[in-house]
Amino acid sequence: SQELEQSPQSLIVQEGKNLTINCTSSKTLYGLYWYKQKYGEGLIFLMMLQKGGEEKSHEKITAKLDEKKQQSSLHITASQPSHAGIYLCGADIDGNNRLAFGKGNQVVVIP
Amino acid sequence: NAGVMQNPRHLVRRRGQEARLRCSPMKGHSHVYWYRQLPEEGLKFMVYLQKENIIDESGMPKERFSAEFPKEGPSILRIQQVVRGDSAAYFCASSPPFRTDTQYFGPGTRLTVL
């Protein structure tokens, strides 16, 4: 069974619009990581969240980890074509540095 | 500071051959992780190594797969007698010794088994 569920599976937005993607776990997370992957390429580290209620921002991307540390959302403000790609959430499920990943959110930004 | 490097980026093998994938961690990083991304599936953890030690290999298939991280040189993921089901993208990540909570990924090696 998938330990991390990401939704929506794919998302198409008009350039300039905001978007939100989600990552949900059935277990309490020791750390939650967001990466971005362009098709056929490697993973780019975006940010890491560890504390319940934590929120981090980088440029137009904001990620939050809920109080119970079982769900995270990633919000992009005023999306641009450069934001297109697959967003992967990864989590340290058991504190042993083994990251489990969701299947990803595919984001398409239409100019 | 160069990022995690992996080579080759693309590797084609025929069934029964051996595949060797190399990973050079970021400078100063002593922890290496290997993950596999099968078509239509998410990334799956395979193995976690420190220099000359395998810390956790719970995600490695029991047969044909091995990994090492020698004192000198890159980490190697070795797949013997490859089968078509081994076709996947193999990613390496590294982390520094006192910040193992953040893993930085390489560009991956895409293995195709004919």
Side-chain angles (χ1 to χ4, degrees):
Chain A
S1 63
Q2 196 70 23
E3 292 170 302
L4 294 175
E5 296 288 339
Q6 292 189 245
S7 62
Q9 186 175 359
S10 62
L11 187 61
I12 302 173
V13 296
Q14 197 79 36
E15 183 178 357
K17 298 293 185 184
N18 302 338
L19 68 95
T20 300
I21 53 180
N22 299 291
C23 175
T24 302
S25 171
S26 57
K27 303 177 183 179
T28 299
L29 304 170
Y30 287 86
L32 189 289
Y33 304 79
W34 282 102
Y35 292 88
K36 181 184 173 186
Q37 182 180 28
K38 294 216 168 192
Y39 182 76
E41 297 182 12
L43 279 68
I44 300 168
F45 174 77
L46 295 176
M47 53 191 85
M48 176 188 68
L49 304 164
Q50 286 186 303
K51 300 176 184 176
E54 187 174 11
E55 179 176 320
K56 286 187 177 179
S57 293
H58 176 68
E59 297 181 344
K60 295 185 178 180
I61 300 175
T62 300
K64 301 178 184 178
L65 183 61
D66 77 355
E67 291 289 340
K68 293 183 180 178
K69 297 174 67 176
Q70 287 187 274
Q71 184 174 38
S72 178
S73 60
L74 188 140
H75 182 79
I76 300 176
T77 304
S79 60
Q80 299 171 359
S82 61
H83 289 126
I86 299 172
Y87 289 81
L88 293 170
C89 73
D92 186 345
I93 297 290
D94 53 14
N96 289 327
N97 294 327
R98 293 190 298 250
L99 295 186
F101 285 88
K103 290 189 176 182
N105 306 94
Q106 183 172 18
V107 172
V108 176
V109 180
I110 301 173
Chain B
N1 186 11
V4 178
M5 298 174 68
Q6 290 187 248
N7 65 82
R9 294 289 306 274
H10 299 274
L11 182 62
V12 179
R13 285 287 178 266
R14 296 191 181 279
R15 282 179 295 171
Q17 291 184 319
E18 178 179 286
R20 281 184 179 242
L21 287 62
R22 287 177 289 277
C23 168
S24 296
M26 289 177 70
K27 188 177 180 180
H29 287 197
S30 55
H31 298 241
V32 165
Y33 314 79
W34 285 94
Y35 293 81
R36 177 166 67 173
Q37 188 175 41
L38 290 165
E40 305 304 319
E41 293 188 21
L43 275 166
K44 302 290 186 188
F45 167 83
M46 298 181 74
V47 63
Y48 167 26
L49 311 105
Q50 293 180 25
K51 287 281 188 181
E52 300 184 281
N53 283 310
I54 296 175
I55 305 303
D56 182 349
E57 56 182 348
S58 59
M60 287 279 269
K62 295 287 184 259
E63 297 177 347
R64 302 186 296 107
F65 284 71
S66 62
E68 62 176 8
F69 189 16
K71 187 176 180 181
E72 302 290 338
S75 175
I76 306 286
L77 179 68
R78 183 181 174 204
I79 311 172
Q80 296 178 290
Q81 299 177 321
V82 296
V83 301
R84 288 216 173 109
D86 296 334
S87 296
Y90 291 83
F91 290 93
C92 166
S94 72
S95 60
F98 301 110
R99 284 300 308 273
T100 56
D101 56 355
T102 302
Q103 298 179 22
Y104 296 91
F105 282 76
T109 294
R110 276 150 187 86
L111 172 66
T112 301
V113 180
L114 301 177

